[in-house]
């Protein structure tokens, strides 16, 4: 049974759940937040993940998707379970009930706008970002029976193309620009599907890096749930940097993780702001967290 809550996502349940239409094929909808207008001549800083998460849990509840995805850090927040409709599509009275038109209709908002600037890097298209977390997101969507296909074509520009017949008859991924009753033209681009993990001839998984790559400092925020955090917890305990007050919820980032990671930073010889409990790439690499 697939998970109704993506395990890597912060759970920010808005309630107000409602069913989808099991008579129609499963779908995923690709959006971008498009929260600022920037140009190649005048790029603008990316809006923070925390700010967009706060928007969708407060004044933007009526527009919330299932998943907010930060392709720069691999962060996720989830506002509705997979089995409920979300609210990111326009839905005209008496029409196709766009937010429900599938066995599941999983809506993804990528934290992105064209010519945004993050960590000193300007990205004109979503596919120019690191697309961190896409493999996990693609796998979770696939687990709900959404096929790795774009019935209206994978988006490559900000041009709309809509077909109510295709929408009602074919499962797969749709751009916001493909959905009936909507006038948006996003997302403009989207990463290619990730192949399922290859297998060795003997049936085992193919070789992967031994240690978990650094997920970026923005990954470590209160409430983040991830097997990466659980693996880090175990390594900190093994390194005698255990400053935890509880052994429960080890996959969720909290104050105990920050205290314990600060102890690890101090063990490496750091002090002051360099031992603030927020992982950096150099200290993370030296912790040697197993790849999960």
């Amino acid at each position: 049974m697939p998970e109704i809550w993506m395990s890597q996502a912060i759970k920010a349940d808005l309630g107000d759940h409602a069913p989808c239409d099991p008579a129609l094929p499963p779908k995923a909808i690709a959006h971008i937040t498009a929260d600022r207008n920037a140009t190649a001549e005048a790029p603008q800083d990316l809006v923070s993940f925390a700010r967009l998460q706060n928007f969708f849990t407060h004044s933007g509840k009526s527009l919330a998707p299932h998943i907010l995805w930060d392709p720069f850090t691999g962060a996720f927040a989830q506002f509705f379970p997979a089995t409920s409709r979300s609210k990111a599509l326009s839905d005209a009275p008496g029409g196709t009930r766009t937010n429900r038109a599938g066995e599941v209709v999983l809506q993804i908002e990528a934290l992105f706008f064209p010519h945004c600037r993050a960590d000193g890097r300007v990205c004109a298209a979503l596919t120019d970002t690191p697309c961190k977390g896409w493999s996990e997101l693609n796998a979770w969507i696939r687990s709900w029976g959404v096929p790795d296909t774009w019935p209206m074509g994978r988006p490559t520009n900000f041009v709309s193309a809509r077909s109510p017949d295709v929408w009602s008859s074919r499962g797969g991924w749709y751009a916001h620009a493909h959905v009936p009753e909507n006038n948006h033209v996003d997302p403009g681009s989207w990463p290619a599907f990730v192949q399922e993990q290859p297998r060795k001839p003997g049936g085992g998984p193919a070789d992967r890096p031994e240690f978990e790559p650094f997920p970026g400092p923005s990954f470590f925020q209160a409430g983040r749930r991830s097997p990466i955090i659980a693996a880090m917890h175990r390594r900190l305990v093994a390194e005698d940097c255990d400053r935890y007050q509880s052994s429960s919820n080890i996959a969720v980032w909290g104050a105990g993780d920050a205290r314990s990671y600060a102890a690890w930073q101090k063990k490496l010889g750091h002090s002051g702001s360099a031992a603030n409990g927020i992982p950096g790439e150099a200290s993370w690499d030296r912790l040697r967290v197993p790849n999960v």
Side-chain angles (χ1 to χ4, degrees):
M1 178 69 182
E3 298 176 326
I4 64 172
W5 296 99
M6 186 179 176
S7 61
Q8 297 89 345
I10 297 169
K11 184 178 178 180
D13 188 1
L14 298 182
D16 188 23
H17 303 167
C20 292
D21 185 348
L24 296 176
K27 300 178 177 73
I29 315 300
H31 305 254
I32 58 174
T33 53
D35 39 301
R36 286 184 176 166
N37 294 320
T39 64
E41 296 74 25
Q44 295 194 42
D45 290 338
L46 186 71
V47 176
S48 74
F49 180 85
R51 179 173 170 180
L52 265 295
Q53 180 184 336
N54 183 70
F55 170 74
F56 284 127
T57 52
H58 291 86
S59 62
K61 281 184 178 181
S62 64
L63 304 171
H66 286 86
I67 299 282
L68 173 65
W69 167 42
D70 183 345
F72 292 91
T73 68
F76 300 98
Q78 185 172 353
F79 307 104
F80 294 94
T83 48
S84 171
R85 61 90 181 92
S86 60
K87 299 183 176 183
L89 293 171
S90 296
D91 188 348
T96 185
R97 304 192 78 186
T98 51
N99 290 304
R100 304 177 187 232
E103 184 178 358
V104 292
V105 184
L106 300 172
Q107 301 200 51
I108 312 303
E109 289 265 6
L111 177 60
F112 178 80
F113 55 87
H115 309 294
C116 65
R117 179 173 49 226
D119 297 325
R121 173 181 180 178
V122 175
C123 296
L126 176 64
T127 48
D128 295 334
T129 75
C131 292
K132 290 184 178 180
W134 168 237
S135 177
E136 293 83 356
L137 179 58
N138 189 188
W140 183 72
I141 297 288
R142 187 188 294 131
S143 76
W144 281 97
V146 178
D148 285 349
T149 184
W150 294 91
M152 295 289 295
R154 180 180 166 196
T156 57
N157 53 42
F158 290 94
V159 176
S160 64
R162 296 179 166 88
S163 168
D165 290 340
V166 173
W167 168 258
S168 62
S169 64
R170 296 185 59 186
W173 281 80
Y174 288 82
H176 196 175
H178 299 157
V179 182
E181 301 177 9
N182 285 250
N183 59 12
H184 287 220
V185 295
D186 61 305
S189 71
W190 202 261
F193 296 123
V194 179
Q195 296 297 315
E196 295 188 64
Q197 187 177 340
R199 313 294 290 181
K200 286 182 176 179
D207 292 336
R208 296 196 303 160
E210 184 177 359
F211 302 111
E212 191 68 41
F214 180 54
S218 299
F219 179 84
F220 302 97
Q221 56 180 297
R224 157 85 65 216
R225 179 183 295 274
S226 171
I228 296 173
I229 293 170
M232 178 205 70
H233 175 115
R234 298 185 185 99
R235 283 292 299 130
L236 291 171
V237 171
E239 290 289 342
D240 197 27
C241 294
D242 182 358
R243 304 298 185 269
Y244 295 98
Q245 296 179 351
S246 171
S247 59
S248 62
N249 294 322
I250 68 170
V252 179
W253 178 267
D257 295 291
R259 288 193 300 268
S260 299
Y261 203 92
W264 168 244
Q265 290 167 324
K266 291 173 183 176
K267 184 174 180 178
L268 296 178
H270 301 303
S271 61
S273 61
N276 61 3
I278 303 301
E281 186 168 7
S283 61
W284 180 267
D285 288 348
R286 293 183 66 179
L287 186 58
R288 297 163 70 87
V289 176
N291 191 308
V292 296

